């Protein structure tokens, strides 16, 4: 899902392509535009966008331009653009090896009846690999199991991003799936900092970065207490909210970073004093760039992406539930052990990826 307007989606696609390309292979991202929502937008949504732009200067168009610039500069995409599963089936792209990349490509809620990320358009005899694919859930409805079984059984090499995903693969097709790191973690701290080597910090003063997403669950209003508590522990340090939110536009001691692009995201994370996030990739980049953080999770949500990653690197204590009443905060972190465990995870994952490609070539 390389062109979803999301920092993690863009950066994981870039990272996977770079790793494979640096290994000497010719690589293309199949330019499949997902989600394929066609048709006219509702009058309500148009009026809402106009209102937000006039009142707050918020324009997804500006953000989209930055993403498009990132795609143009860093992606190598197929010449043909595919706008639907039907397009892929009608004129499937031809390669020696096909890889289903990372992110929530097997999430039944997102992909619904679209089997493209299960490589349904690829011939049975073609070599197929999954790298760090994520179901983003512990459970799949029994009615969907035959569909997943049909396509997962066609992969020559299967790897997933979370233990919950490995458990699902075992349940569905009785096969072992290797657990590997998200593509963004295949690149180290120095690799990512090269993208911002010529940039100055976007925020000139010390700040706490808040990257709060709501699509999995809504942590508001409870998360406001966590943010206030941490701000107090940092003697009232300024909070920067990444991406616009009406809730935070009038918050005292805070500002909103509007219309940031993927490279801006790296800049904001790497220069933060502390990070509070509900995002998997917010967590991954905080770990990778070694910025102290808290990952805010839900007791009731089945999404285990953040907690599984924290388990692997030995940072389980960095997960807090948004509605806990008594949190024992610790704003300092020793990244020594985390760095070692991440390096081992990275090396093992890279070896798996490249050896899988070699098996298929």
């Amino acid at each position: 899902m390389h062109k979803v307007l999301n920092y993690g989606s863009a950066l994981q696609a870039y990272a996977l392509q770079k790793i494979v390309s640096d290994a000497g292979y010719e690589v293309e991202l199949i330019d499949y535009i997902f989600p394929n929502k066609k048709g006219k937008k509702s009058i309500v949504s148009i009026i809402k966008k106009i209102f937000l732009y006039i009142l707050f200067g918020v324009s997804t168009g500006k953000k989209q331009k930055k993403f498009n610039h990132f795609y143009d500069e860093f992606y190598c995409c197929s010449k043909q653009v595919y706008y639907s599963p039907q397009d892929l089936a009608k004129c499937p792209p031809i390669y020696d090896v096909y890889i289903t990349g990372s992110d929530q490509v097997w999430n039944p809620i997102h992909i619904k009846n679209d089997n493209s990320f299960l490589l349904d358009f690829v011939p049975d005899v073609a070599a197929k690999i999954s790298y760090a694919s994520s179901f983003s859930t512990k459970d799949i409805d029994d009615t969907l199991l035959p569909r997943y079984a049909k396509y997962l059984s066609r992969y020559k090499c299967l790897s997933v991003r979370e233990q919950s995903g490995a458990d699902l693969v075992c349940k569905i097709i009785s096969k072992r799936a290797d657990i590997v790191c998200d593509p963004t973690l295949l690149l180290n701290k120095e690799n990512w900092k090269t993208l911002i080597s010529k940039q100055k910090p976007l925020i000139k003063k010390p700040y706490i970065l808040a990257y709060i997403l709501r699509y999995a669950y809504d942590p508001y209003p409870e998360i406001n207490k966590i943010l206030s508590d941490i701000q107090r522990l940092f003697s009232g340090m300024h909070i920067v909210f990444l991406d616009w939110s009406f809730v935070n536009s009038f918050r005292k001691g805070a500002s909103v970073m509007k219309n940031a692009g993927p490279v801006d995201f790296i800049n904001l994370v790497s220069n933060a004093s502390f990070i509070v996030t509900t995002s998997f990739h917010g967590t991954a980049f905080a770990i990778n760039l070694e910025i102290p953080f808290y990952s805010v999770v839900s007791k009731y949500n089945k999404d285990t992406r953040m907690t599984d990653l924290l388990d692997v690197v030995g940072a389980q204590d960095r997960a807090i539930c948004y509605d806990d009443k008594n949190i024992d905060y610790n704003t300092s972190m020793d990244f020594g052990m985390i760095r070692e465990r991440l390096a081992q995870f990275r090396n093992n994952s890279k070896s798996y990826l490249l050896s899988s490609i070699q098996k298929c070539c």
Side-chain angles (χ1 to χ4, degrees):
M1 298 179 185
H2 62 299
K3 287 187 176 177
V4 177
L5 201 64
N6 174 278
Y7 306 111
S9 298
L11 294 169
Q12 61 86 22
Y14 158 76
L16 184 56
Q17 184 171 62
K18 179 171 174 54
I19 287 293
V20 180
S21 178
D22 286 353
Y25 296 98
E26 186 179 351
V27 192
E28 284 185 352
L29 290 165
I30 298 175
D31 208 1
Y32 176 51
I33 307 304
F34 181 92
N36 16 78
K37 295 177 181 177
K38 293 186 178 180
K40 296 180 179 179
K41 295 180 180 179
S42 69
I43 294 297
V44 173
S45 66
I46 294 172
I47 292 174
K48 182 179 177 182
K49 284 190 174 183
I50 293 171
F51 169 78
L52 294 178
Y53 182 73
I54 293 172
L55 193 57
F56 300 104
V58 177
S59 170
T60 55
K62 292 180 181 179
K63 182 177 177 180
Q64 185 68 68
K65 283 182 180 178
K66 288 189 176 182
F67 271 76
N68 290 343
H69 179 75
F70 182 84
Y71 305 150
D72 292 342
E73 184 172 358
F74 295 109
Y75 283 3
C76 179
C77 290
S78 60
K79 292 181 180 178
Q80 182 165 344
V81 181
Y82 300 89
Y83 293 97
S84 69
Q86 292 73 29
D87 287 350
L88 283 166
K90 188 184 302 181
C91 187
I94 305 302
Y95 301 101
D96 298 307
V97 180
Y98 297 81
I99 303 177
T100 296
S102 185
D103 224 353
Q104 302 184 57
V105 289
W106 291 344
N107 184 336
I109 296 174
H110 288 345
I111 66 173
K112 296 182 174 63
N113 295 319
D114 187 346
N115 297 319
S116 303
F117 294 102
L118 289 159
L119 301 181
D120 67 334
F121 60 91
V122 178
D124 286 340
V125 295
K128 305 172 192 66
I129 298 169
S130 74
Y131 181 79
S133 300
S134 178
F135 294 90
S136 304
T137 182
K138 292 181 179 179
D139 303 302
I140 288 180
D141 192 283
D142 288 346
T143 60
L144 299 176
L145 296 182
R147 168 191 164 204
Y148 277 92
K150 175 182 177 180
Y151 294 112
L152 291 177
S153 61
R154 304 196 313 156
Y155 281 84
K156 186 168 184 177
C157 300
L158 265 169
S159 70
V160 293
R161 202 173 61 184
E162 292 93 26
Q163 180 61 51
S164 54
D167 294 341
L168 275 173
V169 171
C170 183
K171 174 184 176 181
I172 295 168
I173 59 172
S174 301
K175 284 187 178 180
R176 176 177 175 269
D178 289 88
I179 300 171
V180 293
C181 69
D182 184 82
T184 62
L185 298 174
L186 290 172
L187 300 180
N188 61 28
K189 181 178 180 180
E190 289 69 32
N191 296 147
W192 285 115
K193 288 209 167 184
T194 59
L195 294 184
I196 58 169
S197 59
K198 297 180 181 179
Q199 285 189 355
K200 294 180 179 179
L202 294 176
I203 308 298
K204 307 302 180 187
K205 56 186 174 182
Y207 62 93
I208 299 162
L209 181 65
Y211 183 31
I212 314 299
L213 301 179
R214 305 196 221 185
Y215 63 83
Y217 66 93
D218 190 347
Y220 287 99
E222 290 86 355
I223 200 169
N224 286 322
K225 182 179 185 304
I226 293 173
L227 292 167
S228 295
D229 289 345
I230 291 173
Q231 187 176 35
R232 187 164 50 252
L233 291 171
F234 279 91
S235 303
M237 184 182 289
H238 192 76
I239 297 178
V240 173
F241 287 90
L242 180 56
D243 280 352
W244 185 86
S245 170
F246 183 83
V247 175
N248 302 311
S249 295
F250 306 100
R251 188 185 181 102
K252 187 178 179 181
S255 61
V256 178
M257 176 58 67
K258 305 169 186 173
N259 310 315
V263 176
D264 296 331
F265 176 84
I266 303 299
N267 188 312
L268 290 164
V269 171
S270 63
N271 290 298
S273 297
F274 196 87
I275 295 172
V276 180
T277 186
T278 61
S279 157
F280 171 83
H281 281 107
T283 300
F285 274 95
I287 291 170
N288 209 357
L289 299 180
E290 299 186 7
I291 308 299
F293 69 95
Y294 271 123
S295 295
V296 183
V297 299
S298 169
K299 298 174 185 175
Y300 315 104
N301 192 274
K302 295 180 180 179
D303 188 340
T304 64
R305 293 175 300 150
M306 287 191 289
T307 52
D308 281 4
L309 173 58
L310 294 174
D311 285 344
V312 170
V313 299
Q316 299 93 328
D317 62 321
R318 305 319 294 178
I320 56 176
C321 290
Y322 72 94
D323 56 353
D324 276 356
K325 303 301 180 186
N326 299 303
I327 300 173
D328 185 15
Y329 295 104
N330 181 5
T331 55
S332 62
M333 288 181 65
D334 180 357
F335 279 92
M337 181 192 69
I338 294 172
R339 188 184 307 120
E340 290 179 12
R341 294 182 66 162
L342 177 57
Q344 183 179 0
F345 193 25
R346 174 186 293 122
N347 292 335
N348 292 343
S349 299
K350 187 175 179 179
S351 295
Y352 172 87
L353 173 62
L354 299 182
S355 65
S356 295
I357 297 172
Q358 288 168 4
K359 287 178 187 177
C360 293
C361 288

